[in-house]
Amino acid sequence: MVHGSKNAGAGDVICVECAPSFVWLSSPQNPMIRFSQITLRRGVKVLLENADVSLNPGDKIGLIGANGTGKSSVFAMLRGELHADQGEVDFPQRWRVAHVAQETPPLERSAIDYAIDGDTTLRKLEADLAEAEAADDGERIGSIYADLTDADAWTVRSRAERLLHGLGFSHDQMENSVSSFSGGWRMRLNLAQALMCPSDLLLLDEPTNHLDLDAILWVEEWLKKYQGTLVIVSHDRDFLDGVVNVIVHIDNQKLKRYAGHYSDFERQRAAAVVLAAGMIEKQQRERAHLESFINRFKAQASKARQAQSRMKMLAKMEDLAPLHVSASFQFEFREPLRAPDPLLVMDNVSAGYKLEDGTEKKVLSGIKFSLQSGQRYGLLGINGAGKSTLIKTIAGELAPLSGTANFNKGLAIGYFAQH
């Protein structure tokens, strides 16, 4: 049975308390997730073939693989939305599953209420309580109040506030409607719903998208404390290194488990590639030796039996498949013809925008700094602090509202905007 909030829409998190579409095999004494001999096709493409992997309760798993290898399909199987063509998914019966949808409906519901909707058990109890009170069923009301206490109902709002604050929402923003937020902020609300959902298995697909650095660090700490089993798809290696203790790699239509975080996986994978290459080279030498013996002695009666024996050995020899590493991507900036130093100097600059009515919206003031040639700078700040405004001012997209900005003669600026 799948429970959703009363106002559930296409973008709401789904809490699955017991999904009948799974093959439920695990006993309570052995609460593992097992993919056994899974073959999965999408159209004519084979994503997985006779793939096996086991996931232990409490594992924090990074699911990685090249684009198109089946990461989203594995998530869909874990959610019970997709069935393998062959094999079985062995799954604990009563695990609750939470995941983040990729779209959010433009609801008029407040952000904090939307986040609390992620706790579907609590929302169901609230609906049951309203029904019992309408029926004046005292015994049932008492029972539901006990269940609400067990569900931490009396602290849910403060928990939601802490969660939203960690994801970058101000206290005032928490009361704004979902429809008032941009797409990126709505994705944060979907993430908030998933984290509010009491779950045994949490599935997160690129959770750091749309998050600033402070929010990423907060989510990382939250996930470290998460007590259930976690599966993450992410291209952020630092995030994976900080959170996961297992890597599952989709490669060559197989699921391969590695212990440790992403950097550990890279070392183990590199060692396996070297080992596989050595084994293939050894096999090729053995094959060449057998073929040479057969060609030399197969026509000689005295050696015919030995030649036949080696022909059988050659026929039984299985071809070893090489392990391929992803092609390395290389990029470099062209050296500038000249490098003026300093590149630019700002003295008491105010940065911001001129509005349509001619008034000025000042975002930053008193900017005093210089950029030195050859240096690397990181610009940090909370959302709305003015990072983009400062970058646009440096790039020449916005003129300073006041103060002086001196750009060295011959300076060429490359600018890649966030949108």
Side-chain angles (χ1 to χ4, degrees), residues 183-195:
W185 284 92
R186 291 186 195 179
M187 287 305 300
R188 294 192 190 206
L189 288 175
N190 276 355
L191 178 58
Q193 273 202 344
L195 301 187

Side-chain angles (χ1 to χ4, degrees), residues 18 25 30 44 51 68 70 114 124 127 136 154 194 231 250-251 270 306 315 349 357-358 364 375 412:
C18 181
L25 296 175
N30 189 24
V44 298
Y114 184 81
K124 185 177 184 303
D136 198 22
W154 321 123
V231 184
I250 305 177
D251 183 50
Q306 295 179 42
V349 166
D357 60 5
L364 298 167
Q375 296 299 306

Side-chain angles (χ1 to χ4, degrees), residues 325-339:
V325 294
S326 300
S328 59
F329 175 80
Q330 295 184 347
F331 173 85
E332 61 182 22
F333 291 99
R334 290 178 295 175
E335 286 293 325
L337 297 177
R338 52 187 174 274

Side-chain angles (χ1 to χ4, degrees), residues 77-395:
M77 285 193 287
L78 288 171
R79 294 195 300 264
E81 298 171 358
L82 181 65
H83 300 282
D85 297 282
Q86 290 178 208
E88 294 176 335
V89 178
D90 180 358
F91 202 91
Q93 282 193 0
R94 292 294 173 182
W95 270 16
R96 299 159 297 176
V97 184
H99 74 278
V100 183
Q102 296 304 305
E103 296 181 1
T104 316
L107 302 174
E108 293 307 310
R109 195 165 181 75
S110 71
I112 191 165
D113 284 334
Y114 184 81
I116 294 172
D117 288 344
D119 192 338
T120 54
T121 300
L122 174 62
R123 287 306 195 205
K124 185 177 184 303
L125 287 172
E126 290 175 343
D128 291 344
L129 179 61
E131 183 181 291
E133 288 177 338
D136 198 22
D137 187 340
E139 183 177 347
R140 189 178 176 209
I141 290 172
S143 175
I144 293 172
Y145 267 107
D147 291 338
L148 284 168
T149 299
D150 292 339
D152 290 331
W154 321 123
T155 64
V156 67
R157 193 167 185 87
S158 63
R159 286 187 284 119
E161 287 176 349
R162 288 196 300 271
L163 196 156
L164 289 173
H165 180 72
L167 291 175
F169 292 85
S170 68
H171 188 75
D172 290 339
Q173 285 177 313
M174 295 178 195
E175 300 300 331
N176 294 344
S177 67
V178 173
S179 62
S180 69
F181 292 98
S182 65
W185 284 92
R186 291 186 195 179
M187 287 305 300
R188 294 192 190 206
L189 288 175
N190 276 355
L191 178 58
Q193 273 202 344
L195 301 187
M196 281 297 296
C197 176
S199 61
D200 303 290
L201 174 62
L202 178 59
L203 306 175
L204 297 179
D205 189 352
E206 297 291 353
T208 59
N209 285 357
H210 311 291
L211 298 184
D212 58 21
L213 181 59
D214 288 339
I216 290 173
L217 295 175
W218 184 89
V219 170
E220 183 176 319
E221 289 303 313
W222 193 97
L223 293 177
K224 286 178 182 177
K225 299 172 184 176
Y226 176 66
Q227 297 297 309
T229 301
L230 173 68
V231 184
I232 302 176
V233 172
S234 177
H235 289 91
D236 186 338
R237 60 176 298 158
D238 292 327
F239 183 73
L240 289 175
D241 274 350
V243 174
V244 308
N245 59 7
V246 172
I247 293 290
V248 173
H249 185 209
I250 305 177
D251 183 50
N252 198 28
Q253 301 170 344
K254 303 295 183 185
L255 296 168
K256 174 68 175 176
R257 177 189 172 107
Y258 295 82
H261 47 57
Y262 184 82
S263 296
D264 293 326
F265 155 76
E266 283 196 321
R267 287 190 290 269
Q268 294 175 61
R269 174 72 174 169
V273 169
V274 172
L275 179 62
M279 293 177 65
I280 290 172
E281 185 179 345
K282 180 181 178 182
Q283 185 188 65
Q284 289 173 341
R285 290 196 302 268
E286 292 176 355
R287 189 188 298 274
H289 178 73
L290 291 173
E291 290 174 343
S292 175
F293 185 94
I294 293 167
N295 292 334
R296 286 171 56 197
F297 299 113
K298 64 182 178 181
Q300 295 184 21
S302 61
K303 298 286 188 177
R305 181 171 293 181
Q306 295 179 42
Q308 287 288 335
S309 174
R310 282 163 173 76
M311 288 175 69
K312 292 179 181 178
M313 291 173 60
L314 189 62
K316 292 180 180 180
M317 188 176 290
E318 295 183 5
D319 289 332
L320 296 176
L323 287 178
H324 298 289
V325 294
S326 300
S328 59
F329 175 80
Q330 295 184 347
F331 173 85
E332 61 182 22
F333 291 99
R334 290 178 295 175
E335 286 293 325
L337 297 177
R338 52 187 174 274
D341 196 16
L343 301 173
L344 62 90
V345 177
M346 290 192 172
D347 184 19
N348 204 30
V349 166
S350 292
Y353 303 84
K354 286 191 176 180
L355 304 178
E356 292 183 359
D357 60 5
T359 60
E360 296 180 346
K361 179 177 174 57
K362 187 181 297 184
V363 179
L364 298 167
S365 60
I367 303 171
K368 296 181 180 180
F369 76 96
S370 62
L371 293 180
Q372 308 301 316
S373 179
Q375 296 299 306
R376 303 289 185 266
Y377 297 86
L379 181 58
L380 305 181
I382 62 173
N383 285 339
K387 299 186 296 296
S388 295
T389 301
L390 178 57
I391 288 291
K392 289 178 181 179
T393 305
I394 293 173

